[in-house]
Amino acid sequence: MNQVKAIRQRYQIKRPEFAALLGVSVRTLEGWESGRFTPSGAAKKLLQVIGASHEAFAQLQRFKGEEQMIELERDPEALTIMGVPFATKSNYEATVSAIANNMFEGYQPTVEDVQYFAEDHKQPINPTEALARVRQAKRVKTNG
């Protein structure tokens, strides 16, 4: 069976909805499923990701239109996020991952949040724990 069709059928989604999630026409999707041609570029990568991860597919479904695009100001060469510099590449990458994953849930980071992540904690960043601390600090500021 064609891999594109297998992915769609595994998620029990109709062609029009799947095509819309991938940002392609139904005709293009039909072409991929029939084997007349194959996906390439970003579509190929996206199919690989959602084919390998139910979580990735679920997150993709949360974004129905372009108005829900998420953008995080960052510079991987300078190791900065929202203008805040990071001392190590590993903490920079962990922070990008933590923030981006939580932005899918509606989290909007502030410069203060990013500064917290950039502080030298003398240990690797635990993204879940760090975001919980940031959120708790915000609750204390709001309530106190």
Side-chain angles (χ1 to χ4, degrees):
M1 177 185 288
N2 177 286
Q3 289 181 339
V4 175
K5 186 173 185 176
I7 292 168
R8 181 178 62 79
Q9 288 180 339
R10 178 176 26 170
Y11 293 117
Q12 300 176 352
I13 189 169
K14 295 181 180 183
R15 279 187 182 137
E17 186 179 352
F18 195 48
L21 285 174
L22 296 173
V24 300
S25 69
V26 174
R27 188 173 184 157
T28 296
L29 180 61
E30 288 171 346
W32 292 343
E33 288 188 357
S34 70
R36 287 192 312 268
F37 44 92
T38 60
S40 61
K44 181 178 180 179
K45 291 295 180 192
L46 183 57
L47 284 162
Q48 289 171 337
V49 169
I50 65 175
S53 169
H54 290 285
E55 182 179 306
F57 180 76
Q59 289 187 1
L60 178 64
Q61 286 186 301
R62 292 185 186 130
F63 298 95
K64 301 287 186 192
E66 291 181 27
E67 70 278 358
Q68 295 176 325
M69 293 291 289
I70 291 177
E71 205 169 307
L72 179 63
E73 177 192 331
R74 60 191 173 100
D75 183 342
E77 291 180 17
L79 298 180
T80 61
I81 302 171
M82 297 173 74
V84 177
F86 283 75
T88 67
K89 186 174 183 175
S90 62
N91 275 357
Y92 166 83
E93 290 173 348
T95 302
V96 168
S97 177
I99 290 173
N101 286 337
N102 282 277
M103 286 174 75
F104 283 116
E105 301 296 327
Y107 170 69
Q108 294 298 314
T110 65
V111 171
E112 292 79 20
D113 296 342
V114 176
Q115 287 170 336
Y116 170 83
F117 288 116
E119 292 174 5
D120 185 6
H121 295 283
K122 306 286 188 225
Q123 60 188 1
I125 291 175
N126 175 323
T128 305
E129 182 181 317
L131 281 172
R133 287 183 185 182
V134 167
R135 289 180 178 147
Q136 179 61 33
K138 281 187 171 187
R139 280 193 286 266
V140 169
K141 282 182 187 177
T142 303
N143 297 330

